[in-house]
PDB file of all heavy atoms in Angstrom:
ATOM      1  N   LEU A   1     -31.224   6.179 -51.969  1.00  0.00           N
ATOM      2  CA  LEU A   1     -32.246   6.959 -52.628  1.00  0.00           C
ATOM      3  C   LEU A   1     -31.724   8.289 -53.040  1.00  0.00           C
ATOM      4  O   LEU A   1     -32.243   8.897 -54.012  1.00  0.00           O
ATOM      5  CB  LEU A   1     -33.441   7.198 -51.612  1.00  0.00           C
ATOM      6  CG  LEU A   1     -34.380   5.974 -51.382  1.00  0.00           C
ATOM      7  CD1 LEU A   1     -35.292   6.255 -50.240  1.00  0.00           C
ATOM      8  CD2 LEU A   1     -35.132   5.556 -52.669  1.00  0.00           C
ATOM      9  N   LEU A   2     -30.691   8.800 -52.346  1.00  0.00           N
ATOM     10  CA  LEU A   2     -30.014  10.037 -52.666  1.00  0.00           C
ATOM     11  C   LEU A   2     -28.845   9.834 -53.537  1.00  0.00           C
ATOM     12  O   LEU A   2     -28.713  10.395 -54.601  1.00  0.00           O
ATOM     13  CB  LEU A   2     -29.695  10.799 -51.377  1.00  0.00           C
ATOM     14  CG  LEU A   2     -28.929  12.073 -51.584  1.00  0.00           C
ATOM     15  CD1 LEU A   2     -29.688  13.102 -52.389  1.00  0.00           C
ATOM     16  CD2 LEU A   2     -28.512  12.713 -50.219  1.00  0.00           C
ATOM     17  N   PHE A   3     -27.881   9.029 -53.009  1.00  0.00           N
ATOM     18  CA  PHE A   3     -26.636   8.882 -53.720  1.00  0.00           C
ATOM     19  C   PHE A   3     -26.362   7.491 -54.243  1.00  0.00           C
ATOM     20  O   PHE A   3     -25.192   7.220 -54.556  1.00  0.00           O
ATOM     21  CB  PHE A   3     -25.442   9.316 -52.810  1.00  0.00           C
ATOM     22  CG  PHE A   3     -25.519   8.623 -51.344  1.00  0.00           C
ATOM     23  CD1 PHE A   3     -25.234   7.367 -51.175  1.00  0.00           C
ATOM     24  CD2 PHE A   3     -25.933   9.494 -50.271  1.00  0.00           C
ATOM     25  CE1 PHE A   3     -25.303   6.823 -49.843  1.00  0.00           C
ATOM     26  CE2 PHE A   3     -25.976   8.895 -49.019  1.00  0.00           C
ATOM     27  CZ  PHE A   3     -25.680   7.572 -48.843  1.00  0.00           C
ATOM     28  N   GLY A   4     -27.374   6.686 -54.518  1.00  0.00           N
ATOM     29  CA  GLY A   4     -27.216   5.416 -55.235  1.00  0.00           C
ATOM     30  C   GLY A   4     -26.169   4.502 -54.512  1.00  0.00           C
ATOM     31  O   GLY A   4     -26.111   4.403 -53.311  1.00  0.00           O
ATOM     32  N   ARG A   5     -25.296   3.925 -55.345  1.00  0.00           N
ATOM     33  CA  ARG A   5     -24.331   2.977 -54.847  1.00  0.00           C
ATOM     34  C   ARG A   5     -22.953   3.733 -54.521  1.00  0.00           C
ATOM     35  O   ARG A   5     -21.918   3.192 -54.646  1.00  0.00           O
ATOM     36  CB  ARG A   5     -23.953   1.906 -55.905  1.00  0.00           C
ATOM     37  CG  ARG A   5     -25.197   0.907 -56.198  1.00  0.00           C
ATOM     38  CD  ARG A   5     -25.174  -0.187 -55.192  1.00  0.00           C
ATOM     39  NE  ARG A   5     -23.980  -1.053 -55.397  1.00  0.00           N
ATOM     40  CZ  ARG A   5     -23.932  -2.089 -56.247  1.00  0.00           C
ATOM     41  NH1 ARG A   5     -25.026  -2.442 -56.980  1.00  0.00           N
ATOM     42  NH2 ARG A   5     -22.836  -2.883 -56.349  1.00  0.00           N
ATOM     43  N   GLY A   6     -23.103   4.964 -54.085  1.00  0.00           N
ATOM     44  CA  GLY A   6     -21.934   5.792 -53.665  1.00  0.00           C
ATOM     45  C   GLY A   6     -21.120   5.071 -52.622  1.00  0.00           C
ATOM     46  O   GLY A   6     -19.865   5.208 -52.568  1.00  0.00           O
ATOM     47  N   TRP A   7     -21.754   4.329 -51.750  1.00  0.00           N
ATOM     48  CA  TRP A   7     -21.082   3.580 -50.707  1.00  0.00           C
ATOM     49  C   TRP A   7     -20.002   2.682 -51.317  1.00  0.00           C
ATOM     50  O   TRP A   7     -18.862   2.651 -50.902  1.00  0.00           O
ATOM     51  CB  TRP A   7     -22.039   2.771 -49.896  1.00  0.00           C
ATOM     52  CG  TRP A   7     -21.349   1.603 -49.240  1.00  0.00           C
ATOM     53  CD1 TRP A   7     -21.287   0.321 -49.643  1.00  0.00           C
ATOM     54  CD2 TRP A   7     -20.664   1.621 -48.008  1.00  0.00           C
ATOM     55  NE1 TRP A   7     -20.578  -0.434 -48.754  1.00  0.00           N
ATOM     56  CE2 TRP A   7     -20.185   0.298 -47.699  1.00  0.00           C
ATOM     57  CE3 TRP A   7     -20.330   2.661 -47.092  1.00  0.00           C
ATOM     58  CZ2 TRP A   7     -19.392  -0.001 -46.580  1.00  0.00           C
ATOM     59  CZ3 TRP A   7     -19.622   2.405 -45.966  1.00  0.00           C
ATOM     60  CH2 TRP A   7     -19.140   1.085 -45.727  1.00  0.00           C
ATOM     61  N   CYS A   8     -20.406   1.991 -52.407  1.00  0.00           N
ATOM     62  CA  CYS A   8     -19.456   0.996 -53.027  1.00  0.00           C
ATOM     63  C   CYS A   8     -18.232   1.734 -53.623  1.00  0.00           C
ATOM     64  O   CYS A   8     -17.189   1.148 -53.648  1.00  0.00           O
ATOM     65  CB  CYS A   8     -20.198   0.214 -54.115  1.00  0.00           C
ATOM     66  SG  CYS A   8     -21.692  -0.635 -53.450  1.00  0.00           S
ATOM     67  N   GLY A   9     -18.453   2.916 -54.075  1.00  0.00           N
ATOM     68  CA  GLY A   9     -17.378   3.552 -54.815  1.00  0.00           C
ATOM     69  C   GLY A   9     -16.505   4.384 -53.920  1.00  0.00           C
ATOM     70  O   GLY A   9     -15.303   4.624 -54.173  1.00  0.00           O
ATOM     71  N   TYR A  10     -16.996   4.774 -52.718  1.00  0.00           N
ATOM     72  CA  TYR A  10     -16.170   5.753 -51.891  1.00  0.00           C
ATOM     73  C   TYR A  10     -15.926   5.279 -50.425  1.00  0.00           C
ATOM     74  O   TYR A  10     -15.151   5.953 -49.750  1.00  0.00           O
ATOM     75  CB  TYR A  10     -16.897   7.087 -51.897  1.00  0.00           C
ATOM     76  CG  TYR A  10     -16.987   7.748 -53.212  1.00  0.00           C
ATOM     77  CD1 TYR A  10     -17.876   7.413 -54.155  1.00  0.00           C
ATOM     78  CD2 TYR A  10     -16.013   8.725 -53.538  1.00  0.00           C
ATOM     79  CE1 TYR A  10     -17.921   8.054 -55.376  1.00  0.00           C
ATOM     80  CE2 TYR A  10     -15.977   9.338 -54.753  1.00  0.00           C
ATOM     81  CZ  TYR A  10     -16.970   9.057 -55.681  1.00  0.00           C
ATOM     82  OH  TYR A  10     -17.000   9.559 -56.973  1.00  0.00           O
ATOM     83  N   ALA A  11     -16.632   4.221 -49.976  1.00  0.00           N
ATOM     84  CA  ALA A  11     -16.452   3.926 -48.482  1.00  0.00           C
ATOM     85  C   ALA A  11     -16.246   2.461 -48.227  1.00  0.00           C
ATOM     86  O   ALA A  11     -15.771   2.136 -47.137  1.00  0.00           O
ATOM     87  CB  ALA A  11     -17.716   4.404 -47.805  1.00  0.00           C
ATOM     88  N   CYS A  12     -16.560   1.578 -49.091  1.00  0.00           N
ATOM     89  CA  CYS A  12     -16.443   0.107 -48.828  1.00  0.00           C
ATOM     90  C   CYS A  12     -15.015  -0.239 -48.577  1.00  0.00           C
ATOM     91  O   CYS A  12     -14.164  -0.080 -49.515  1.00  0.00           O
ATOM     92  CB  CYS A  12     -17.078  -0.701 -49.935  1.00  0.00           C
ATOM     93  SG  CYS A  12     -16.848  -2.490 -49.736  1.00  0.00           S
ATOM     94  N   TRP A  13     -14.640  -0.848 -47.439  1.00  0.00           N
ATOM     95  CA  TRP A  13     -13.290  -1.214 -47.062  1.00  0.00           C
ATOM     96  C   TRP A  13     -12.856  -2.435 -47.944  1.00  0.00           C
ATOM     97  O   TRP A  13     -11.691  -2.716 -48.039  1.00  0.00           O
ATOM     98  CB  TRP A  13     -13.150  -1.389 -45.620  1.00  0.00           C
ATOM     99  CG  TRP A  13     -14.021  -2.377 -44.973  1.00  0.00           C
ATOM    100  CD1 TRP A  13     -13.801  -3.742 -44.816  1.00  0.00           C
ATOM    101  CD2 TRP A  13     -15.313  -2.098 -44.308  1.00  0.00           C
ATOM    102  NE1 TRP A  13     -14.936  -4.250 -44.147  1.00  0.00           N
ATOM    103  CE2 TRP A  13     -15.790  -3.289 -43.798  1.00  0.00           C
ATOM    104  CE3 TRP A  13     -16.009  -0.825 -44.079  1.00  0.00           C
ATOM    105  CZ2 TRP A  13     -16.983  -3.355 -43.177  1.00  0.00           C
ATOM    106  CZ3 TRP A  13     -17.176  -0.942 -43.400  1.00  0.00           C
ATOM    107  CH2 TRP A  13     -17.693  -2.195 -42.935  1.00  0.00           C
ATOM    108  N   THR A  14     -13.776  -3.271 -48.335  1.00  0.00           N
ATOM    109  CA  THR A  14     -13.402  -4.420 -49.250  1.00  0.00           C
ATOM    110  C   THR A  14     -12.974  -3.908 -50.550  1.00  0.00           C
ATOM    111  O   THR A  14     -11.927  -4.260 -51.069  1.00  0.00           O
ATOM    112  CB  THR A  14     -14.632  -5.387 -49.389  1.00  0.00           C
ATOM    113  OG1 THR A  14     -15.039  -5.835 -48.033  1.00  0.00           O
ATOM    114  CG2 THR A  14     -14.165  -6.630 -50.186  1.00  0.00           C
ATOM    115  N   ALA A  15     -13.832  -3.094 -51.220  1.00  0.00           N
ATOM    116  CA  ALA A  15     -13.496  -2.574 -52.480  1.00  0.00           C
ATOM    117  C   ALA A  15     -12.290  -1.616 -52.476  1.00  0.00           C
ATOM    118  O   ALA A  15     -11.559  -1.470 -53.449  1.00  0.00           O
ATOM    119  CB  ALA A  15     -14.664  -1.737 -53.074  1.00  0.00           C
ATOM    120  N   MET A  16     -11.994  -1.019 -51.283  1.00  0.00           N
ATOM    121  CA  MET A  16     -10.876  -0.176 -51.069  1.00  0.00           C
ATOM    122  C   MET A  16      -9.585  -0.920 -51.389  1.00  0.00           C
ATOM    123  O   MET A  16      -8.694  -0.299 -52.069  1.00  0.00           O
ATOM    124  CB  MET A  16     -10.770   0.287 -49.604  1.00  0.00           C
ATOM    125  CG  MET A  16      -9.536   1.032 -49.207  1.00  0.00           C
ATOM    126  SD  MET A  16      -9.573   1.335 -47.375  1.00  0.00           S
ATOM    127  CE  MET A  16      -9.230  -0.354 -46.742  1.00  0.00           C
ATOM    128  N   VAL A  17      -9.500  -2.209 -51.076  1.00  0.00           N
ATOM    129  CA  VAL A  17      -8.310  -3.040 -51.396  1.00  0.00           C
ATOM    130  C   VAL A  17      -8.448  -3.547 -52.821  1.00  0.00           C
ATOM    131  O   VAL A  17      -7.484  -3.507 -53.587  1.00  0.00           O
ATOM    132  CB  VAL A  17      -8.246  -4.178 -50.347  1.00  0.00           C
ATOM    133  CG1 VAL A  17      -7.129  -5.192 -50.802  1.00  0.00           C
ATOM    134  CG2 VAL A  17      -7.919  -3.660 -48.999  1.00  0.00           C
ATOM    135  N   LEU A  18      -9.579  -4.058 -53.205  1.00  0.00           N
ATOM    136  CA  LEU A  18      -9.745  -4.650 -54.451  1.00  0.00           C
ATOM    137  C   LEU A  18      -9.444  -3.627 -55.621  1.00  0.00           C
ATOM    138  O   LEU A  18      -8.979  -3.996 -56.729  1.00  0.00           O
ATOM    139  CB  LEU A  18     -11.170  -5.153 -54.687  1.00  0.00           C
ATOM    140  CG  LEU A  18     -11.531  -6.297 -53.669  1.00  0.00           C
ATOM    141  CD1 LEU A  18     -12.997  -6.764 -53.986  1.00  0.00           C
ATOM    142  CD2 LEU A  18     -10.629  -7.448 -53.843  1.00  0.00           C
ATOM    143  N   ASP A  19      -9.757  -2.330 -55.427  1.00  0.00           N
ATOM    144  CA  ASP A  19      -9.544  -1.314 -56.421  1.00  0.00           C
ATOM    145  C   ASP A  19      -8.099  -1.053 -56.708  1.00  0.00           C
ATOM    146  O   ASP A  19      -7.731  -0.359 -57.727  1.00  0.00           O
ATOM    147  CB  ASP A  19     -10.244   0.021 -56.097  1.00  0.00           C
ATOM    148  CG  ASP A  19     -11.699   0.026 -56.493  1.00  0.00           C
ATOM    149  OD1 ASP A  19     -12.157  -0.943 -57.204  1.00  0.00           O
ATOM    150  OD2 ASP A  19     -12.453   0.903 -56.157  1.00  0.00           O
ATOM    151  N   PHE A  20      -7.201  -1.604 -55.881  1.00  0.00           N
ATOM    152  CA  PHE A  20      -5.798  -1.409 -56.118  1.00  0.00           C
ATOM    153  C   PHE A  20      -5.147  -2.536 -56.966  1.00  0.00           C
ATOM    154  O   PHE A  20      -4.051  -2.480 -57.312  1.00  0.00           O
ATOM    155  CB  PHE A  20      -5.003  -1.311 -54.743  1.00  0.00           C
ATOM    156  CG  PHE A  20      -5.081  -0.015 -54.083  1.00  0.00           C
ATOM    157  CD1 PHE A  20      -5.903   0.200 -53.058  1.00  0.00           C
ATOM    158  CD2 PHE A  20      -4.333   1.043 -54.544  1.00  0.00           C
ATOM    159  CE1 PHE A  20      -5.989   1.465 -52.361  1.00  0.00           C
ATOM    160  CE2 PHE A  20      -4.375   2.225 -53.898  1.00  0.00           C
ATOM    161  CZ  PHE A  20      -5.221   2.546 -52.883  1.00  0.00           C
ATOM    162  N   LEU A  21      -6.029  -3.528 -57.284  1.00  0.00           N
ATOM    163  CA  LEU A  21      -5.557  -4.630 -58.085  1.00  0.00           C
ATOM    164  C   LEU A  21      -5.479  -4.207 -59.521  1.00  0.00           C
ATOM    165  O   LEU A  21      -6.010  -3.107 -59.937  1.00  0.00           O
ATOM    166  CB  LEU A  21      -6.550  -5.833 -57.893  1.00  0.00           C
ATOM    167  CG  LEU A  21      -6.608  -6.425 -56.480  1.00  0.00           C
ATOM    168  CD1 LEU A  21      -7.614  -7.555 -56.471  1.00  0.00           C
ATOM    169  CD2 LEU A  21      -5.288  -6.862 -56.038  1.00  0.00           C
ATOM    170  N   PRO A  22      -4.848  -4.929 -60.394  1.00  0.00           N
ATOM    171  CA  PRO A  22      -4.541  -4.469 -61.746  1.00  0.00           C
ATOM    172  C   PRO A  22      -5.621  -4.384 -62.788  1.00  0.00           C
ATOM    173  O   PRO A  22      -5.527  -3.783 -63.787  1.00  0.00           O
ATOM    174  CB  PRO A  22      -3.469  -5.474 -62.275  1.00  0.00           C
ATOM    175  CG  PRO A  22      -3.697  -6.709 -61.494  1.00  0.00           C
ATOM    176  CD  PRO A  22      -4.139  -6.226 -60.155  1.00  0.00           C
ATOM    177  N   TYR A  23      -6.841  -5.042 -62.491  1.00  0.00           N
ATOM    178  CA  TYR A  23      -7.929  -5.062 -63.449  1.00  0.00           C
ATOM    179  C   TYR A  23      -8.982  -4.022 -63.269  1.00  0.00           C
ATOM    180  O   TYR A  23     -10.120  -4.428 -62.975  1.00  0.00           O
ATOM    181  CB  TYR A  23      -8.505  -6.518 -63.542  1.00  0.00           C
ATOM    182  CG  TYR A  23      -7.404  -7.543 -63.783  1.00  0.00           C
ATOM    183  CD1 TYR A  23      -7.066  -8.448 -62.760  1.00  0.00           C
ATOM    184  CD2 TYR A  23      -6.805  -7.633 -65.079  1.00  0.00           C
ATOM    185  CE1 TYR A  23      -6.087  -9.373 -63.083  1.00  0.00           C
ATOM    186  CE2 TYR A  23      -5.849  -8.621 -65.294  1.00  0.00           C
ATOM    187  CZ  TYR A  23      -5.475  -9.444 -64.242  1.00  0.00           C
ATOM    188  OH  TYR A  23      -4.543 -10.411 -64.503  1.00  0.00           O
ATOM    189  N   LYS A  24      -8.595  -2.815 -63.333  1.00  0.00           N
ATOM    190  CA  LYS A  24      -9.537  -1.695 -63.093  1.00  0.00           C
ATOM    191  C   LYS A  24     -10.547  -1.650 -64.162  1.00  0.00           C
ATOM    192  O   LYS A  24     -11.725  -1.158 -63.896  1.00  0.00           O
ATOM    193  CB  LYS A  24      -8.787  -0.378 -62.944  1.00  0.00           C
ATOM    194  CG  LYS A  24      -7.829  -0.323 -61.821  1.00  0.00           C
ATOM    195  CD  LYS A  24      -6.953   0.945 -61.789  1.00  0.00           C
ATOM    196  CE  LYS A  24      -6.030   0.890 -60.554  1.00  0.00           C
ATOM    197  NZ  LYS A  24      -5.178  -0.279 -60.436  1.00  0.00           N
ATOM    198  N   LYS A  25     -10.250  -2.003 -65.368  1.00  0.00           N
ATOM    199  CA  LYS A  25     -11.192  -2.170 -66.498  1.00  0.00           C
ATOM    200  C   LYS A  25     -11.541  -3.586 -66.666  1.00  0.00           C
ATOM    201  O   LYS A  25     -10.617  -4.369 -66.884  1.00  0.00           O
ATOM    202  CB  LYS A  25     -10.692  -1.519 -67.767  1.00  0.00           C
ATOM    203  CG  LYS A  25     -10.285  -0.019 -67.669  1.00  0.00           C
ATOM    204  CD  LYS A  25      -9.612   0.409 -68.955  1.00  0.00           C
ATOM    205  CE  LYS A  25      -9.108   1.875 -68.797  1.00  0.00           C
ATOM    206  NZ  LYS A  25      -8.422   2.296 -70.021  1.00  0.00           N
ATOM    207  N   PRO A  26     -12.793  -4.028 -66.598  1.00  0.00           N
ATOM    208  CA  PRO A  26     -13.112  -5.461 -66.824  1.00  0.00           C
ATOM    209  C   PRO A  26     -12.591  -5.925 -68.195  1.00  0.00           C
ATOM    210  O   PRO A  26     -12.790  -5.335 -69.141  1.00  0.00           O
ATOM    211  CB  PRO A  26     -14.667  -5.471 -66.801  1.00  0.00           C
ATOM    212  CG  PRO A  26     -14.967  -4.253 -65.996  1.00  0.00           C
ATOM    213  CD  PRO A  26     -13.960  -3.197 -66.319  1.00  0.00           C
ATOM    214  N   GLN A  27     -11.861  -7.036 -68.096  1.00  0.00           N
ATOM    215  CA  GLN A  27     -11.258  -7.578 -69.307  1.00  0.00           C
ATOM    216  C   GLN A  27     -12.109  -8.601 -70.072  1.00  0.00           C
ATOM    217  O   GLN A  27     -11.731  -9.092 -71.080  1.00  0.00           O
ATOM    218  CB  GLN A  27      -9.874  -8.263 -68.913  1.00  0.00           C
ATOM    219  CG  GLN A  27      -8.900  -7.321 -68.196  1.00  0.00           C
ATOM    220  CD  GLN A  27      -8.460  -6.142 -69.100  1.00  0.00           C
ATOM    221  OE1 GLN A  27      -8.003  -6.319 -70.196  1.00  0.00           O
ATOM    222  NE2 GLN A  27      -8.655  -4.964 -68.594  1.00  0.00           N
ATOM    223  N   ALA A  28     -13.217  -8.965 -69.440  1.00  0.00           N
ATOM    224  CA  ALA A  28     -14.124 -10.013 -70.123  1.00  0.00           C
ATOM    225  C   ALA A  28     -15.561  -9.567 -69.854  1.00  0.00           C
ATOM    226  O   ALA A  28     -15.869  -8.755 -69.054  1.00  0.00           O
ATOM    227  CB  ALA A  28     -13.808 -11.311 -69.485  1.00  0.00           C
ATOM    228  N   ALA A  29     -16.480 -10.264 -70.613  1.00  0.00           N
ATOM    229  CA  ALA A  29     -17.832  -9.941 -70.470  1.00  0.00           C
ATOM    230  C   ALA A  29     -18.356 -10.395 -69.142  1.00  0.00           C
ATOM    231  O   ALA A  29     -17.829 -11.269 -68.470  1.00  0.00           O
ATOM    232  CB  ALA A  29     -18.638 -10.752 -71.546  1.00  0.00           C
ATOM    233  N   ARG A  30     -19.430  -9.710 -68.644  1.00  0.00           N
ATOM    234  CA  ARG A  30     -19.908  -9.979 -67.284  1.00  0.00           C
ATOM    235  C   ARG A  30     -20.522 -11.408 -67.259  1.00  0.00           C
ATOM    236  O   ARG A  30     -21.245 -11.827 -68.217  1.00  0.00           O
ATOM    237  CB  ARG A  30     -20.972  -8.966 -66.939  1.00  0.00           C
ATOM    238  CG  ARG A  30     -21.397  -9.002 -65.490  1.00  0.00           C
ATOM    239  CD  ARG A  30     -22.217  -7.732 -65.131  1.00  0.00           C
ATOM    240  NE  ARG A  30     -22.740  -7.805 -63.824  1.00  0.00           N
ATOM    241  CZ  ARG A  30     -22.736  -6.789 -63.014  1.00  0.00           C
ATOM    242  NH1 ARG A  30     -22.340  -5.658 -63.407  1.00  0.00           N
ATOM    243  NH2 ARG A  30     -23.311  -6.925 -61.799  1.00  0.00           N
ATOM    244  N   LYS A  31     -20.285 -12.094 -66.183  1.00  0.00           N
ATOM    245  CA  LYS A  31     -20.722 -13.488 -65.971  1.00  0.00           C
ATOM    246  C   LYS A  31     -22.176 -13.467 -65.458  1.00  0.00           C
ATOM    247  O   LYS A  31     -22.652 -12.564 -64.821  1.00  0.00           O
ATOM    248  CB  LYS A  31     -19.857 -14.266 -65.049  1.00  0.00           C
ATOM    249  CG  LYS A  31     -18.361 -14.131 -65.291  1.00  0.00           C
ATOM    250  CD  LYS A  31     -17.927 -14.697 -66.602  1.00  0.00           C
ATOM    251  CE  LYS A  31     -16.441 -14.422 -66.806  1.00  0.00           C
ATOM    252  NZ  LYS A  31     -15.950 -14.862 -68.166  1.00  0.00           N
ATOM    253  N   LYS A  32     -22.931 -14.517 -65.769  1.00  0.00           N
ATOM    254  CA  LYS A  32     -24.280 -14.657 -65.297  1.00  0.00           C
ATOM    255  C   LYS A  32     -24.381 -15.439 -63.984  1.00  0.00           C
ATOM    256  O   LYS A  32     -25.093 -16.444 -63.916  1.00  0.00           O
ATOM    257  CB  LYS A  32     -25.197 -15.240 -66.404  1.00  0.00           C
ATOM    258  CG  LYS A  32     -25.262 -14.305 -67.639  1.00  0.00           C
ATOM    259  CD  LYS A  32     -26.165 -14.926 -68.661  1.00  0.00           C
ATOM    260  CE  LYS A  32     -26.270 -14.019 -69.892  1.00  0.00           C
ATOM    261  NZ  LYS A  32     -27.194 -14.570 -70.940  1.00  0.00           N
ATOM    262  N   ILE A  33     -23.652 -15.020 -63.028  1.00  0.00           N
ATOM    263  CA  ILE A  33     -23.652 -15.734 -61.704  1.00  0.00           C
ATOM    264  C   ILE A  33     -23.954 -14.784 -60.553  1.00  0.00           C
ATOM    265  O   ILE A  33     -23.583 -15.086 -59.415  1.00  0.00           O
ATOM    266  CB  ILE A  33     -22.262 -16.415 -61.519  1.00  0.00           C
ATOM    267  CG1 ILE A  33     -21.119 -15.422 -61.581  1.00  0.00           C
ATOM    268  CG2 ILE A  33     -22.073 -17.556 -62.468  1.00  0.00           C
ATOM    269  CD1 ILE A  33     -19.747 -16.022 -61.256  1.00  0.00           C
ATOM    270  N   GLY A  34     -24.707 -13.777 -60.862  1.00  0.00           N
ATOM    271  CA  GLY A  34     -25.046 -12.825 -59.821  1.00  0.00           C
ATOM    272  C   GLY A  34     -25.945 -13.390 -58.679  1.00  0.00           C
ATOM    273  O   GLY A  34     -26.083 -12.820 -57.663  1.00  0.00           O
ATOM    274  N   PHE A  35     -26.550 -14.526 -59.053  1.00  0.00           N
ATOM    275  CA  PHE A  35     -27.482 -15.223 -58.006  1.00  0.00           C
ATOM    276  C   PHE A  35     -26.689 -15.561 -56.722  1.00  0.00           C
ATOM    277  O   PHE A  35     -27.306 -15.782 -55.714  1.00  0.00           O
ATOM    278  CB  PHE A  35     -28.051 -16.410 -58.642  1.00  0.00           C
ATOM    279  CG  PHE A  35     -27.085 -17.566 -59.022  1.00  0.00           C
ATOM    280  CD1 PHE A  35     -26.712 -18.484 -58.118  1.00  0.00           C
ATOM    281  CD2 PHE A  35     -26.506 -17.581 -60.272  1.00  0.00           C
ATOM    282  CE1 PHE A  35     -25.847 -19.448 -58.371  1.00  0.00           C
ATOM    283  CE2 PHE A  35     -25.592 -18.561 -60.618  1.00  0.00           C
ATOM    284  CZ  PHE A  35     -25.292 -19.530 -59.598  1.00  0.00           C
ATOM    285  N   ILE A  36     -25.339 -15.666 -56.869  1.00  0.00           N
ATOM    286  CA  ILE A  36     -24.590 -16.033 -55.697  1.00  0.00           C
ATOM    287  C   ILE A  36     -24.715 -15.089 -54.550  1.00  0.00           C
ATOM    288  O   ILE A  36     -24.680 -15.427 -53.403  1.00  0.00           O
ATOM    289  CB  ILE A  36     -23.083 -16.234 -56.089  1.00  0.00           C
ATOM    290  CG1 ILE A  36     -22.937 -17.317 -57.119  1.00  0.00           C
ATOM    291  CG2 ILE A  36     -22.245 -16.584 -54.884  1.00  0.00           C
ATOM    292  CD1 ILE A  36     -21.505 -17.503 -57.604  1.00  0.00           C
ATOM    293  N   ARG A  37     -24.860 -13.810 -54.862  1.00  0.00           N
ATOM    294  CA  ARG A  37     -25.052 -12.770 -53.803  1.00  0.00           C
ATOM    295  C   ARG A  37     -26.279 -13.082 -52.959  1.00  0.00           C
ATOM    296  O   ARG A  37     -26.227 -12.708 -51.722  1.00  0.00           O
ATOM    297  CB  ARG A  37     -25.123 -11.443 -54.424  1.00  0.00           C
ATOM    298  CG  ARG A  37     -26.404 -11.101 -55.216  1.00  0.00           C
ATOM    299  CD  ARG A  37     -26.392  -9.761 -55.775  1.00  0.00           C
ATOM    300  NE  ARG A  37     -25.619  -9.674 -57.039  1.00  0.00           N
ATOM    301  CZ  ARG A  37     -25.408  -8.574 -57.761  1.00  0.00           C
ATOM    302  NH1 ARG A  37     -25.935  -7.357 -57.318  1.00  0.00           N
ATOM    303  NH2 ARG A  37     -24.712  -8.549 -58.843  1.00  0.00           N
ATOM    304  N   TYR A  38     -27.316 -13.672 -53.526  1.00  0.00           N
ATOM    305  CA  TYR A  38     -28.530 -14.006 -52.703  1.00  0.00           C
ATOM    306  C   TYR A  38     -28.227 -15.188 -51.807  1.00  0.00           C
ATOM    307  O   TYR A  38     -28.854 -15.215 -50.697  1.00  0.00           O
ATOM    308  CB  TYR A  38     -29.629 -14.380 -53.746  1.00  0.00           C
ATOM    309  CG  TYR A  38     -30.052 -13.155 -54.580  1.00  0.00           C
ATOM    310  CD1 TYR A  38     -29.606 -12.964 -55.797  1.00  0.00           C
ATOM    311  CD2 TYR A  38     -30.966 -12.232 -54.069  1.00  0.00           C
ATOM    312  CE1 TYR A  38     -29.954 -11.870 -56.561  1.00  0.00           C
ATOM    313  CE2 TYR A  38     -31.391 -11.118 -54.780  1.00  0.00           C
ATOM    314  CZ  TYR A  38     -30.873 -10.897 -56.036  1.00  0.00           C
ATOM    315  OH  TYR A  38     -31.270  -9.883 -56.817  1.00  0.00           O
ATOM    316  N   ILE A  39     -27.370 -15.996 -52.222  1.00  0.00           N
ATOM    317  CA  ILE A  39     -26.980 -17.105 -51.312  1.00  0.00           C
ATOM    318  C   ILE A  39     -26.127 -16.616 -50.127  1.00  0.00           C
ATOM    319  O   ILE A  39     -26.399 -17.015 -48.993  1.00  0.00           O
ATOM    320  CB  ILE A  39     -26.081 -18.148 -52.117  1.00  0.00           C
ATOM    321  CG1 ILE A  39     -26.975 -18.737 -53.261  1.00  0.00           C
ATOM    322  CG2 ILE A  39     -25.568 -19.326 -51.184  1.00  0.00           C
ATOM    323  CD1 ILE A  39     -26.156 -19.704 -54.175  1.00  0.00           C
ATOM    324  N   THR A  40     -25.197 -15.777 -50.344  1.00  0.00           N
ATOM    325  CA  THR A  40     -24.410 -15.212 -49.299  1.00  0.00           C
ATOM    326  C   THR A  40     -25.278 -14.314 -48.383  1.00  0.00           C
ATOM    327  O   THR A  40     -25.104 -14.319 -47.155  1.00  0.00           O
ATOM    328  CB  THR A  40     -23.253 -14.378 -49.810  1.00  0.00           C
ATOM    329  OG1 THR A  40     -23.628 -13.325 -50.767  1.00  0.00           O
ATOM    330  CG2 THR A  40     -22.188 -15.212 -50.463  1.00  0.00           C
ATOM    331  N   PHE A  41     -26.220 -13.643 -48.939  1.00  0.00           N
ATOM    332  CA  PHE A  41     -27.180 -12.823 -48.176  1.00  0.00           C
ATOM    333  C   PHE A  41     -27.911 -13.732 -47.238  1.00  0.00           C
ATOM    334  O   PHE A  41     -28.150 -13.491 -46.033  1.00  0.00           O
ATOM    335  CB  PHE A  41     -28.119 -12.104 -49.108  1.00  0.00           C
ATOM    336  CG  PHE A  41     -29.114 -11.178 -48.452  1.00  0.00           C
ATOM    337  CD1 PHE A  41     -28.751  -9.899 -48.061  1.00  0.00           C
ATOM    338  CD2 PHE A  41     -30.381 -11.652 -48.117  1.00  0.00           C
ATOM    339  CE1 PHE A  41     -29.684  -9.063 -47.454  1.00  0.00           C
ATOM    340  CE2 PHE A  41     -31.305 -10.810 -47.464  1.00  0.00           C
ATOM    341  CZ  PHE A  41     -30.974  -9.461 -47.138  1.00  0.00           C
TER     342      PHE A  41
END
C-alpha cells in the first residue's frame, strides 16, 4: 500500500539471481499465461 512491488525489485532472493541473467530487457511480447501463478498459489 506504501511501496507497491518494491519487494520484487529490491529484496526478493529469487529475483536477486534472475536479474543477473542476460535478458534484462524482455526480448518478446508478454505471454498470456499469468494464470499459472494462481495454480502455484
